[in-house]
Amino acid sequence: MSSRREQLAWEARWSRPTALAAFAAIGFVIVAIVVVAKVVGGTGGDSELLRHVDQHRSAELISSILQAIGVGLLAAPLYYLFRSAKARSERMRGQLVGVVIAAPLFLAALAILSGVSTLHAASDFVSNEVPRLMAKGVALNSDHANEIAKETISEAPLRSLAAGFGLGGQLGFLVAMVYTCLYAMRVGLLPRFWGSLGIALGAVSFIFFQFAMLWFVYLGLLLIGRIPGGKPPAWESGEAIPWPTPGDKAAADLTPEANGELESPAEDPKDPTGKGQSQ
């Protein structure tokens, strides 16, 4: 009982900071996208991309840092939900908490390493490859120039390291999102719809990572009690309150009480009128 009270106290203490972290994560990523769009928006190929990046190096670096902060902040709501579900389920594997925390941090490292690698590629391309292309009379927006720019990006320092962090982060985020949402739904912390949506978005986060991030807006609103209907009962009880299955609902509908059918008093065989003896 004391451990349950301690867990509820911990959840109450950290619910608002965790929600703010979730909202801040979305905000940082949106700002990062806006910043980088102004730098590279409308580019016709890798050649033009690298030349634009070289002209706006500060914006590229700022965008990478903002994206890293935003993605890294997702570790807070993921850990909060994981710990809350773990406290209500003995079947959860607590060892996976490392994946839950590390996955967003790996993705944050990916953002920084990719940004630095792209800056290095842009500098190398503009300083070395562009003069050679111009000396040969090759247009900078031609297919050949774009192919050279693509090779420069792939061979840039830190690119392979960034790919390693990216693969680990994406796999870890998939596991963390799917596993955490699954058990949070099972113990009643997440409604079936939002739990299932979180599982689905986690499974496709390789392709639609931005959509997976938007799911954390709901989680933040849930933690501060801004969802219609309030938090599910499992949050207040400190124990698992699973959602009824369709079979449970069907069984409940078949009970006499559910149908308004109450048993009538047994009739006395000696008194067929059912009125009983008068006193």
Side-chain angles (χ1 to χ4, degrees):
M1 184 65 70
S2 60
S3 60
R4 184 184 302 175
R5 287 198 297 266
E6 292 174 358
Q7 174 64 24
L8 290 175
W10 181 87
E11 292 173 7
R13 182 168 64 253
W14 289 103
S15 60
R16 189 169 294 275
T18 302
L20 293 177
F23 298 144
I26 306 301
F28 275 113
V29 171
I30 291 176
V31 174
I33 293 174
V34 172
V35 171
V36 77
K38 293 182 178 180
V39 176
V40 301
T43 57
D46 289 332
S47 174
E48 188 175 355
L49 168 65
L50 291 182
R51 286 182 283 123
H52 279 206
V53 169
D54 189 67
Q55 294 172 0
H56 305 86
R57 301 181 66 85
S58 298
E60 175 69 19
L61 182 60
I62 292 173
S63 176
S64 299
I65 294 174
L66 291 175
Q67 184 176 352
I69 295 174
V71 176
L73 282 173
L74 293 180
L78 264 179
Y79 171 71
Y80 183 94
L81 186 60
F82 181 91
R83 174 169 170 171
S84 299
K86 179 67 176 66
R88 294 163 174 81
S89 173
E90 298 179 354
R91 300 179 61 184
M92 282 189 71
R93 297 182 180 274
Q95 302 89 332
L96 288 178
V97 67
V99 177
V100 170
I101 297 175
L105 299 182
F106 271 46
L107 293 177
L110 167 65
I112 294 293
L113 293 172
S114 295
V116 173
S117 180
T118 301
L119 287 173
H120 192 282
S123 178
D124 184 28
F125 181 76
V126 171
S127 300
N128 300 320
E129 300 300 337
V130 169
R132 294 173 188 172
L133 292 171
M134 295 181 67
K136 295 178 181 180
V138 178
L140 296 181
N141 291 328
S142 65
D143 292 339
H144 180 63
N146 286 327
E147 188 65 27
I148 297 296
K150 184 177 181 180
E151 293 178 0
T152 304
I153 294 174
S154 62
E155 297 174 359
L158 303 178
R159 182 60 59 177
S160 58
L161 183 60
F165 273 99
L167 180 61
Q170 288 173 332
L171 284 174
F173 188 82
L174 186 155
V175 172
M177 188 85 172
V178 171
Y179 190 79
T180 303
C181 289
L182 174 62
Y183 272 93
M185 180 177 64
R186 283 181 175 178
V187 300
L189 293 178
L190 293 177
R192 287 191 179 276
F193 172 80
W194 288 100
S196 300
L197 182 61
I199 293 172
L201 291 175
V204 299
S205 57
F206 267 95
I207 306 173
F208 303 109
F209 184 75
Q210 287 80 2
F211 290 102
M213 288 197 66
L214 291 177
W215 181 87
F216 286 90
V217 174
Y218 163 79
L219 181 59
L221 292 173
L222 176 68
L223 295 181
I224 60 176
R226 297 296 183 180
I227 297 297
K231 291 183 177 181
W235 285 104
E236 296 182 3
S237 68
E239 57 185 6
I241 303 180
W243 301 103
T245 64
D248 295 335
K249 294 180 179 179
D253 291 340
L254 292 176
T255 59
E257 292 79 1
N259 295 322
E261 300 175 0
L262 299 178
E263 296 184 0
S264 58
E267 295 183 356
D268 188 346
K270 297 181 180 180
D271 183 16
T273 64
K275 298 180 180 180
Q277 298 179 0
S278 58
Q279 301 295 329

